[in-house]
């Protein structure tokens, strides 16, 4: 099998292509293996919404849920078993990629219970528990970049556990995430952990920024406001990359790097384009830079495969122009602090809602299995 040339070009430019989806059906039918073989996919991310969708479709999980019901498992234990089994199997599927990339790729993410997003201690405990249950070196534990999540990130990294920090919307919070990572690495070093084995990505959400800011620009309605539509998401991510270059090119990381520490790569998340007026490959082609990850829903992955134009690095050196976009947004009255607060709260709420739907549906399946 040969790799799609557009996605191969993206990989050659330094962008790791990850799929933002996982299901037992993908694993059992060979679909995920096919994407590895033909779409340059070198990792997978999951979230509560993805698992909710996977368990609500088809019958791939029915047998296991029936077995767990007969054993008397409750709904939380059932979901934990089912999701960690899928993630472990995906980790095994990516084992060769993990080894070939020196541990950089071949990564599979699983998220802590979104109901714990504002509880530091419980987030830490569940992150450690999930790490032990899946028991694979190419796992990433997803922890949200909430204020309560930041100390959890430090604590979990300090335990030698690799982390995918999720729900990052602002450059300010991204800087706090990088700081939490570096603090965690320093503590891991003190504890005697091998820093070269600890990996992390910072998942910076892109399309949702445009969705929220565009709605506010539409409300303003002026020609100046409307001219800024569709620019904030890419500009925000480009500023995040500039912050990444600054932090990981600095002295604080240099000391840790001597002990084998790895950079925390920026990961572009929420890259499915929600506005049909925009190119469906916008958040891929405009965010090409070395040492990044782009995690795509399959629809976006296939759009890039079909007609994505990869022209090399489209990020380095763009920070000044990106800052001008945000200066203009501020000048016309867009409250960016409020934008990012709304997006973080909505992000947590969305995952909590999906988790609630997952609990409800799984409880229904457990009840039916007991009849």
């Amino acid at each position: 099998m040969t790799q799609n040339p557009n996605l191969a070009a993206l990989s050659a430019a330094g962008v790791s292509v990850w799929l933002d989806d996982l299901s037992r059906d993908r694993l059992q039918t060979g679909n995920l293996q096919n994407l590895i073989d033909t779409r340059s996919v070198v990792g997978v991310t999951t979230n509560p919404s993805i698992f909710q969708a996977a368990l609500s479709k088809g019958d791939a999980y029915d047998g296991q849920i029936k077995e767990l019901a007969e054993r008397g498992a409750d709904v939380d234990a059932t979901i934990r078993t089912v999701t960690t089994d899928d993630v472990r199997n995906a980790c095994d599927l990516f084992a060769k990629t993990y080894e070939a990339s020196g541990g950089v790729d071949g990564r599979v993410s699983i998220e802590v219970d979104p109901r714990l997003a504002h509880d530091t201690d419980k987030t830490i405990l569940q992150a450690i528990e999930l790490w032990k249950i899946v028991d694979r070196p190419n796992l990433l534990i997803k922890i949200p970049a909430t204020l309560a999540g930041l100390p959890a990130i430090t604590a979990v990294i300090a335990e030698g556990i690799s982390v995918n920090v999720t729900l990052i919307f602002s450059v300010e919070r991204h800087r706090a995430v990088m700081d939490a990572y570096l603090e965690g690495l320093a503590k891991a070093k003190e504890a005697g952990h091998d820093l070269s084995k600890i990996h992390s990505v910072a998942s910076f959400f892109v399309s949702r920024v445009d969705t929220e800011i565009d709605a506010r620009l539409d409300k303003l309605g002026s020609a100046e406001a409307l001219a800024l539509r569709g620019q904030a998401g890419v500009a925000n991510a480009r500023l995040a990359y500039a912050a990444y270059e600054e932090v990981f090119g600095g002295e604080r990381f240099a000391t840790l790097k001597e002990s084998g520490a790895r950079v925390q790569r920026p990961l572009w998340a929420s890259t499915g384009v929600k506005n049909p007026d925009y190119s469906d490959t916008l958040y891929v082609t405009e965010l090409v830079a070395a040492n990044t990850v782009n995690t795509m829903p399959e629809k976006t992955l296939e759009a890039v495969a079909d007609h994505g134009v990869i022209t090399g690095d489209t990020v380095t050196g763009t920070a000044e122009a990106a800052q001008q976009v945000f200066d203009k947004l501020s000048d016309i009255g867009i409250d960016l602090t409020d934008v990012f607060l709304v997006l973080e709260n909505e992000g947590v709420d969305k995952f909590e809602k999906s988790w609630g739907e997952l609990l409800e549906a799984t409880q229904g399946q457990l009840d039916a299995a007991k009849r």
Side-chain angles (χ1 to χ4, degrees), residues 181-182 185-186 189 194-198 244-245 247-264 291:
Y181 173 61
L182 292 174
L185 285 176
K189 182 181 175 182
D194 180 352
L195 298 192
S196 70
K197 304 291 186 188
I198 303 171
Y244 151 79
E245 287 187 303
V247 169
F248 289 100
E251 287 183 21
R252 187 179 176 193
F253 178 67
T255 304
L256 292 163
K257 187 178 179 182
E258 288 175 3
S259 299
R262 314 273 193 144
V263 299
Q264 182 184 56
N291 285 325

Side-chain angles (χ1 to χ4, degrees), residues 207 270-286 294 296-309:
S207 68
S270 181
T271 56
V273 176
K274 295 172 176 62
N275 188 329
D277 293 338
Y278 304 155
S279 164
D280 56 0
T281 63
L282 173 67
Y283 304 124
V284 179
T285 59
E286 296 306 307
N294 197 309
M296 308 175 212
E298 190 169 21
K299 184 178 178 183
T300 303
L301 184 76
E302 290 305 326
V304 175
D306 182 63
H307 53 265
V309 180

